[in-house]
Amino acid sequence: GNSVTQMEGPVTLSEEAFLTINCTYTATGYPSLFWYVQYPGEGLQLLLKATKADDKGSNKGFEATYRKETTSFHLEKGSVQVSDSAVYFCALTSAGGTSYGKLTFGQGTILTVHP
Amino acid sequence: NAGVTQTPKFRVLKTGQSMTLLCAQDMNHEYMYWYRQDPGMGLRLIHYSVGEGTTAKGEVPDGYNVSRLKKQNFLLGLESAAPSQTSVYFCASSQLAGGLYEQYFGPGTRLTVT
């Protein structure tokens, strides 16, 4: 079956530091890959997505590249802000119509950014 | 356009009590999902629906039932609550567009079973 593994957290950074959160996956075929963000007390919001190998998803200064050869989708940001403090989830959905968009999530990584 | 809404936001139950969580979406999406979120485990799929009148089991369906009598609503029921069902429950909806399902999530329901 599908699985997603994220780097262990929590991650604590100073403002303007570089961020990397590692994500690797196991799936058959060509899944679609996502990063979701959950701010305190809120639901999940889609941060970025990629649907095929070598696609780069980007949003709000965050980037992630779909690497088929290493089955990875690492999240990066060049300069984090205090407002980026949140929980970040890597997720995938299988290719094909019968997946019905069901998501498989990683365990989440808590990011705290200090001024 | 409210997106996905969930009722209630918080609930405390005693072991053995029952309750229903309501999810509503106003985006005319075909697909709806219920997930639970537990610390260190991400979100896990409980049940999902691919259209009005349909339901299917997800990864962790035991102890839960669902119904989708109207396209815009997806109900999650706990017939006899157990402490292991203490969790945060999220509903989501999606539609296939451009070959991709993009899920939209509700704000969550925090349930405590004592």
Side-chain angles (χ1 to χ4, degrees), chain B residues 22-79:
Chain B
L22 171 63
C23 175
Q25 52 98 1
D26 61 2
M27 296 173 283
N28 202 35
H29 286 170
E30 286 293 331
Y31 308 103
M32 297 186 73
Y33 317 82
W34 276 106
Y35 296 88
R36 60 176 289 171
Q37 182 182 22
D38 301 295
M41 302 185 72
L43 278 74
R44 293 178 292 167
L45 182 65
I46 304 172
H47 287 281
Y48 64 102
S49 167
V50 300
E52 182 178 313
T54 75
T55 63
K57 294 180 180 180
E59 182 185 352
V60 288
D62 294 342
Y64 305 95
N65 57 76
V66 287
S67 64
R68 182 109 182 261
L69 298 180
K70 293 183 179 180
K71 186 176 184 179
Q72 64 267 34
N73 295 338
F74 194 30
L75 279 62
L76 178 71
L78 287 72
E79 289 187 348

Side-chain angles (χ1 to χ4, degrees), chain A residues 38 46 49 89 100-101 106-107, chain B residues 33 37 40 42 90 101-103:
Chain A
Q38 182 181 31
L46 179 64
K49 62 193 177 192
F89 292 95
Y100 302 120
Q107 68 268 39
Chain B
Y33 317 82
Q37 182 182 22
F90 288 99
Y101 296 90
E102 181 175 331
Q103 290 194 20

Side-chain angles (χ1 to χ4, degrees), chain A residues 55-67:
Chain A
D55 264 2
K56 178 184 283 188
S58 61
N59 187 26
K60 299 181 181 180
F62 290 90
E63 293 183 340
T65 301
Y66 189 146
R67 300 290 189 199

